[in-house]
Amino acid sequence: MLNRRSFSDVLPESPKSARKKEEARQAEFVRIGQALKLKTIVRGDAPTSLVTTGLCRKEPWESQPFCSTFPYEIVCADSWGQSLLVATEAAGVMLLDALPPVQVFDKTIVVKQMHVLEPQDLLITRADKGKDARLYVFRLSGLKRGLEERQLVRSKCDSRENKLEKTKGCHLYSINTHHGSELRIVAAIRNKLLLITRKHPRFEGLSAVAPGPDSPVEEFQYIREICLCDPPVVMALVDGPTGENDNMICVAYKHQFDLINESTGDAYRLHHVDANRVNFVAAIDVYEDGEAGLLLCYNYICYYKKVCPFNGSTPMIQSNTSDFHFSWNQMPNAIVCAFPYILAFTTDSIEIRLVVNGNLVYTAVVPELQLSASRSDIYFVSSAPVSSASNCSSRDTSSQSSPQTPTGYEMPVFPSPLGDGETSCKHIFKIPLCNLVGRSIERPLKSPLVNKVLTTPAPAMVPPTPLISATHSLSLSRMEIKEIASRTRKELLGLTEEPSGKSDGGSVKQRKMSKKNTEEEPKARALTSTNSDR
């Protein structure tokens, strides 16, 4: 009766006859309903809308073509603005963007790991092999200036002043993900860990009047050495809640993950792997309300462990009530966490699951897959050609954060990596991080040190640079996490709701909904199967 009165009130001329009044009311009801349906379809929330179904639907993990013909095997890479810095064995290090590739280092420097830290104007690399391996540090501004002035390509001899001498023989290194106030580097030299810090990073603009020396080596300090029983295979730095003698290092070796206290060097057992053979993949640090947790990835398993702050000299490892784990369908070679998704890169597929419960969302078949970079945007290489049906723009050359290569720069002649008669090119694809994490990438990422005050402000002539952390684990309040988890479940079940004004983001706190997920699992799997068939 309430609906009948409300719709009768909107009639412009109410008929006197009861029958005609009912017919007019029903006609007005149909008109308003059609208008609401049209708005829903245009907005993209209706099941029949072309925005959310069919060929027009764009999934957040949809890849964009970045480079269709790259003739070299990529060892490692990292994003530099909208460009990609790529390390190869046959042609050295090259910068890929909208223009033809530009060589930055020649092949005398064999780079195995790299990190591009734009807010700190720093490039960290691990170069060469075996006993000659070292860490090199460069200023991005100096590299960019060399490209603009068309200077000679840097070689190993030109980079002598950029060596961190005490890192000779380094086979692995790791940096902290929240390095707004202090950059920490842990270099593994056989079974020895060397802790290096760089306090008060430089935030000078590229057009500064008096730039510092070309080599930033003098800004790094060697703190201490920590001896382990075996050489580590995987490492991750974990920020403590205060940053004062409570930072930790997660190392993986033998059949175990251990936590190392950076201040004392004491080791504590975090997780033991019950398997004859162990393939360590990654250890990813994630944070929630200033508390640290670790995603331990090995074999087919991804295990979450919550680590409480240090109690005196001993870390409090929470009981099994907060732990959870899930399995992958194929053994991954690399893991990327971009909340609310976690992506596993295997030899021929990308498996996408939800972080909060490990439910499978999508599986993409990609032949000869290799993950290249994932600190910000995700870049991967495949032997599959770029789809001609894709209408996505792969690069945004108007971005001012991209290093601009000179227009008249001549492409150097690289040695051919293939024999006579062989033709094989790699295809590089890009998954923008903002598509996966939504609006949450616009928020500064919370770390345990977020409340600490920086004593060294940036120069006034340079606008403040947002410190986007390297990791893709975001921190929010419990209410926001519950909202995101609820919305994710409804999307999997085909339901719709109005988008909330709150920013997306999250952590891995919500595991108490396992009982409800068990009831909804068949529906979610059916929907996933339908998406795969389509």
Side-chain angles (χ1 to χ4, degrees):
M1 295 300 297
L2 178 63
N3 290 336
R4 297 174 74 91
R5 286 197 302 270
S6 62
F7 279 106
S8 298
D9 293 340
V10 300
L11 296 176
E13 294 181 0
S14 179
K16 295 181 180 180
S17 172
R19 183 177 59 83
K20 291 183 179 181
K21 182 182 295 186
E22 178 65 18
E23 292 176 354
R25 189 196 65 81
Q26 292 180 359
E28 188 67 14
F29 182 88
V30 171
R31 187 190 69 80
I32 295 178
Q34 289 176 342
L36 292 176
K37 182 178 179 181
L38 179 60
K39 290 181 180 180
T40 305
I41 293 176
V42 172
R43 191 170 60 245
D45 293 339
T48 57
S49 174
L50 290 178
V51 178
T52 56
T53 60
L55 298 177
C56 297
R57 179 176 181 177
K58 292 185 180 299
E59 302 290 355
W61 48 79
E62 181 176 342
S63 61
Q64 304 173 1
F66 184 82
C67 180
S68 58
T69 55
F70 190 74
Y72 304 101
E73 292 288 339
I74 297 178
V75 179
C76 62
D78 201 0
S79 55
W80 185 357
Q82 295 298 320
S83 304
L84 184 65
L85 196 63
V86 176
T88 66
E89 290 189 359
V93 179
M94 292 178 289
L95 184 66
L96 306 181
D97 57 6
L99 300 176
V102 177
Q103 194 174 22
V104 182
F105 300 95
D106 62 16
K107 64 178 182 180
T108 59
I109 300 182
V110 182
V111 177
K112 298 297 185 181
Q113 276 183 271
M114 69 165 63
H115 283 84
V116 177
L117 306 179
E118 293 184 74
Q120 301 203 30
D121 189 27
L122 190 66
L123 169 65
I124 307 174
T125 63
R126 177 174 64 86
D128 293 327
K129 300 178 180 178
K131 296 181 179 180
D132 294 331
R134 282 185 177 86
L135 294 187
Y136 291 77
V137 288
F138 303 90
R139 295 197 194 281
L140 293 176
S141 56
L143 298 178
K144 180 179 179 180
R145 186 167 55 251
L147 294 176
E148 292 173 346
E149 297 175 359
R150 306 180 189 178
Q151 296 177 357
L152 294 176
V153 178
R154 285 177 177 259
S155 63
K156 184 177 180 180
C157 296
D158 302 329
S159 305
R160 291 176 180 175
E161 297 181 354
N162 300 89
K163 293 180 182 178
L164 295 178
E165 290 296 340
K166 291 189 178 182
T167 61
K168 183 178 180 180
C170 173
H171 70 276
L172 181 69
Y173 82 91
S174 179
I175 69 173
N176 58 321
T177 53
H178 301 285
H179 40 70
S181 59
E182 180 185 39
L183 172 64
R184 309 199 317 276
I185 306 175
V186 170
I189 307 171
R190 294 180 294 278
N191 63 332
K192 181 180 67 176
L193 300 182
L194 177 61
L195 179 61
I196 309 169
T197 62
R198 185 200 189 200
K199 289 183 184 265
H200 309 305
R202 299 160 50 93
F203 291 96
E204 296 180 2
L206 300 182
S207 59
V209 178
D214 291 338
S215 175
V217 170
E218 299 298 328
E219 301 173 9
F220 289 85
Q221 306 172 16
Y222 301 98
I223 304 302
R224 65 180 54 86
E225 294 182 355
I226 301 173
C227 292
L228 305 177
C229 58
D230 284 277
V233 180
V234 168
M235 294 192 305
L237 278 74
V238 183
D239 292 337
T242 64
E244 301 292 339
N245 301 325
D246 58 0
N247 293 325
M248 296 166 281
I249 308 171
C250 178
V251 295
Y253 45 66
K254 284 188 174 180
H255 288 71
Q256 65 197 51
F257 289 87
D258 284 355
L259 271 180
I260 311 296
N261 188 334
E262 285 188 7
S263 301
T264 64
D266 297 333
Y268 309 93
R269 179 68 53 84
L270 179 63
H271 181 68
H272 179 76
V273 180
D274 295 326
N276 295 330
R277 298 185 63 181
V278 183
N279 177 37
F280 292 110
V281 180
I284 305 173
D285 57 317
V286 291
Y287 303 91
E288 176 188 351
D289 296 333
E291 297 180 354
L294 281 163
L295 280 170
L296 309 177
C297 308
Y298 60 92
N299 293 352
Y300 294 87
I301 304 297
C302 196
Y303 204 106
Y304 175 76
K305 297 282 289 186
K306 190 65 175 288
V307 180
C308 292
F310 274 84
N311 182 13
S313 60
T314 305
M316 297 171 56
I317 301 176
Q318 215 171 36
S319 61
N320 294 332
T321 56
S322 64
D323 301 340
F324 77 101
H325 69 278
F326 56 87
S327 301
W328 304 99
N329 292 329
Q330 297 187 51
M331 183 177 295
N333 299 320
I335 300 289
V336 177
C337 183
F339 194 89
Y341 306 104
I342 181 169
L343 295 79
F345 292 80
T346 70
T347 55
D348 57 1
S349 67
I350 303 177
E351 197 170 327
I352 304 170
R353 293 178 179 270
L354 296 178
V355 178
V356 293
N357 52 19
N359 284 356
L360 179 63
V361 177
Y362 187 78
T363 300
V365 178
V366 184
E368 298 183 24
L369 174 63
Q370 177 190 355
L371 178 66
S372 299
S374 61
R375 266 195 345 99
S376 55
D377 293 333
I378 300 173
Y379 294 86
F380 62 91
V381 181
S382 172
S383 61
V386 177
S387 174
S388 59
S390 177
N391 56 359
C392 299
S393 176
S394 60
R395 290 169 290 272
D396 183 9
T397 57
S398 62
S399 175
Q400 297 181 0
S401 62
S402 280
Q404 298 296 324
T405 52
T407 306
Y409 191 90
E410 295 182 358
M411 178 67 179
V413 179
F414 297 126
S416 175
L418 302 173
D420 295 338
E422 296 183 8
T423 58
S424 176
C425 289
K426 298 294 183 180
H427 306 278
I428 304 176
F429 297 87
K430 171 183 175 181
I431 302 178
L433 180 64
C434 59
N435 292 355
L436 288 171
V437 302
R439 296 184 300 274
S440 58
I441 193 61
E442 300 172 3
R443 297 170 51 121
L445 305 188
K446 293 172 58 179
S447 77
L449 310 180
V450 71
N451 295 326
K452 299 186 69 175
V453 179
L454 299 181
T455 58
T456 305
M461 67 182 69
V462 182
T465 305
L467 293 179
I468 300 300
S469 170
T471 190
H472 313 314
S473 56
L474 308 179
S475 301
L476 289 179
S477 66
R478 289 185 173 91
M479 292 302 296
E480 290 173 306
I481 295 169
K482 290 180 180 179
E483 178 189 351
I484 294 169
S486 175
R487 184 165 63 251
T488 303
R489 288 199 305 271
K490 291 182 179 180
E491 290 176 355
L492 288 176
L493 296 175
L495 304 177
T496 58
E497 67 176 358
E498 286 293 326
S500 174
K502 294 184 180 180
S503 298
D504 293 340
S507 64
V508 290
K509 184 80 174 182
Q510 300 299 316
R511 256 82 65 188
K512 296 183 179 180
M513 52 186 178
S514 58
K515 182 177 180 180
K516 190 172 184 180
N517 289 338
T518 304
E519 300 174 358
E520 299 170 349
E521 182 75 19
K523 299 180 181 179
R525 291 185 179 275
L527 181 61
T528 303
S529 176
T530 305
N531 290 336
S532 301
D533 294 341
R534 181 164 64 243

